[in-house]
Amino acid sequence: MERMDRYPTRTTERAPHIERRDPTVWGEIRDEQLATYERDGFAIMDALLTPDEVAGFRAEIERLMVDPALAGDDRVIREKTSNQVRSVFEVHKLSAAVADLVRESRIAGLARQVLGSDVYLHQTRVNYMPGFRGAGFYWHSDFETWHAEDGLPAPRAVSLSIAMTDNYPFNGSLMVMPGSHRTFVPCVGETPEGHYRQSLREQQIGVPTEEDIATLADRHGIRQFTGKAGSALLFDSNIMHGSSSNITPFPRSNIFLVFNSVENTPAEPYAAAAPRPTYIGSRDFTPV
């Protein structure tokens, strides 16, 4: 029996936008910092980590960036042009400190409030955006990729981006379109085999057209996540977001945690021949 796909994507030609068919908030919001989450699709926490905690985690992520044991590891993604480290995946398995952090109620508890269930880690990584040569991330919906290539049935997942450095308006900080999480944008193009190898460095399949982006931006506007190190952004898996390159001397890095509901576990991909490797899309559904 063929399963129903409520969010078809990777189409042969541009398709109409799909209004979201699932809730944004599945549970009960108790944290005042999440009061605007349902309306905007994101919430900002100004001081999720203390300065001492930031210093400790920054040392951890800098250690991972230069760890010789990770040289040649598939979990380390390098910039397309500069060959500098762009991302390190499965960071919770490479750092005991991060593994402890994700289980804390102030972290995983945020996801449980929004998703209304136990949660597991679908993906973790560190994003490094070095000064002068840090490449940006083009506009996209995470859910589009996780649905197409990992098999997530519904946008019942959230991402928590914790700033390890100050996020300024000029060093490639994340841009989001408030309210765009209520619209799913199908993307054009068949998923190539092993697409993740290219897309993690520069995504070209699974991104909206310029017309799609302009339509959403006209409707919703654009906001930018800026703040001190230790601040954090919790955002819906379907919100349209992206970041520009960093040509300033000020690096920008963040710990990126993706929580998915245990009631939304992935099956086979909806628009790819095979699932991505488990270090990118986990198949370990153990609650945190």
Side-chain angles (χ1 to χ4, degrees):
M1 180 177 177
E2 187 174 350
R3 61 179 173 166
M4 179 181 295
D5 183 358
R6 296 179 296 126
Y7 299 98
T9 187
R10 310 289 168 99
T11 54
T12 56
E13 57 186 30
R14 189 166 177 261
H17 295 177
I18 299 171
E19 289 309 302
R20 187 184 184 116
R21 297 165 180 174
D22 292 279
T24 299
V25 174
W26 299 70
E28 180 182 351
I29 297 297
R30 300 180 299 277
D31 192 315
E32 291 183 3
Q33 296 179 103
L34 301 182
T36 62
Y37 187 91
E38 184 165 17
R39 181 193 69 198
D40 295 337
F42 68 91
I44 296 173
M45 286 136 282
D46 291 329
L48 187 62
L49 300 186
T50 68
D52 286 345
E53 288 175 320
V54 169
F57 285 112
R58 187 181 296 171
E60 275 288 275
I61 68 173
E62 290 174 356
R63 174 185 67 81
L64 294 175
M65 185 169 58
V66 299
D67 188 348
L70 293 176
D73 194 302
D74 287 344
R75 293 173 290 185
V76 179
I77 310 301
R78 295 188 176 274
E79 294 282 5
K80 187 175 181 179
T81 55
S82 68
N83 205 41
Q84 292 181 288
V85 175
R86 178 175 174 86
S87 303
V88 175
F89 282 80
E90 275 195 335
V91 65
H92 69 295
K93 293 187 177 181
L94 297 171
S95 168
V98 174
D100 289 340
L101 176 68
V102 298
R103 289 191 290 266
E104 293 188 20
S105 60
R106 61 173 165 161
I107 305 296
L110 297 171
R112 286 192 288 265
Q113 285 183 59
V114 172
L115 301 180
S117 68
D118 284 336
V119 297
Y120 73 93
L121 288 166
H122 179 69
Q123 182 188 105
T124 69
R125 68 179 188 262
V126 178
N127 281 341
Y128 303 89
M129 188 174 280
F132 299 113
R133 295 180 179 85
F137 293 82
Y138 194 69
W139 290 106
H140 64 285
S141 151
D142 288 327
F143 173 65
E144 192 280 337
T145 295
W146 300 339
H147 181 69
E149 299 186 41
D150 297 340
L152 261 66
R156 194 175 177 180
V158 298
S159 297
L160 182 66
S161 175
I162 308 174
M164 292 290 100
T165 53
D166 292 347
N167 280 236
Y168 302 111
F170 45 75
N171 69 336
S173 58
L174 194 71
M175 297 178 289
V176 296
M177 297 185 187
S180 62
H181 62 295
R182 293 189 290 270
T183 303
F184 180 79
V185 179
C187 296
V188 178
E190 185 177 352
T191 308
E193 184 179 353
H195 177 239
Y196 66 91
R197 294 187 181 92
Q198 164 68 22
S199 65
L200 297 178
R201 302 176 76 190
E202 181 184 16
Q203 188 169 358
Q204 295 179 334
I205 300 295
V207 296
T209 66
E210 291 183 0
E211 185 177 352
D212 290 323
I213 295 167
T215 297
L216 290 180
D218 286 344
R219 183 187 305 163
H220 301 292
I222 297 172
R223 282 185 58 186
Q224 199 168 25
F225 168 50
T226 58
K228 294 288 187 182
S231 59
L233 177 74
L234 184 76
F235 60 100
D236 183 84
S237 60
N238 189 51
I239 198 167
M240 196 62 67
H241 64 289
S243 62
S244 57
S245 298
N246 182 16
I247 60 171
T248 75
F250 307 107
R252 183 182 72 84
S253 59
N254 64 289
I255 295 175
F256 191 90
L257 311 171
V258 179
F259 296 96
N260 187 33
S261 169
V262 296
E263 299 172 7
N264 190 47
T265 54
E268 291 304 304
Y270 285 84
R276 298 188 298 174
T278 55
Y279 64 83
I280 302 173
S282 177
R283 300 275 162 165
D284 178 358
F285 310 136
T286 305
V288 294

